[in-house]
Amino acid sequence: MKKTITFAIMHFSVAFMVAYILTGSVVVGGAVALVEPAVNTVAFYFHDRIWKKIESRSEDNVTSDEMTLVH
């Protein structure tokens, strides 16, 4: 859990600093630091679902190939 918390702090800090450096605005930096991780979390959810489908298809193909070789 400590690793997750420190990663979240680092993520917020990097998002804030990049936005602040690009805009010079503390408000924009703060907004980006809050919004970007939330959007990234949702994007990761869909990314993970897509990868699970790809992996499932890959496993099905391997199983089919193995069955063909056995018969």
Side-chain angles (χ1 to χ4, degrees), residues 5-6 8 11-12 14-15 22 30 40-41 46 51 55 62 66 69:
I5 292 169
T6 58
H11 192 150
F12 289 124
V14 169
L22 290 174
N40 203 11
T41 300
F46 289 108
W51 269 107
E55 290 172 344
V62 169
E66 288 172 353
L69 292 173

Side-chain angles (χ1 to χ4, degrees), residues 25-57:
S25 170
V26 173
V27 173
V28 172
V32 169
L34 294 175
V35 172
E36 189 273 336
V39 172
N40 203 11
T41 300
V42 173
F44 178 80
Y45 170 78
F46 289 108
H47 177 264
D48 194 47
R49 288 189 63 177
I50 292 167
W51 269 107
K52 284 181 181 177
K53 286 182 182 181
I54 291 169
E55 290 172 344
S56 176
R57 288 181 189 156

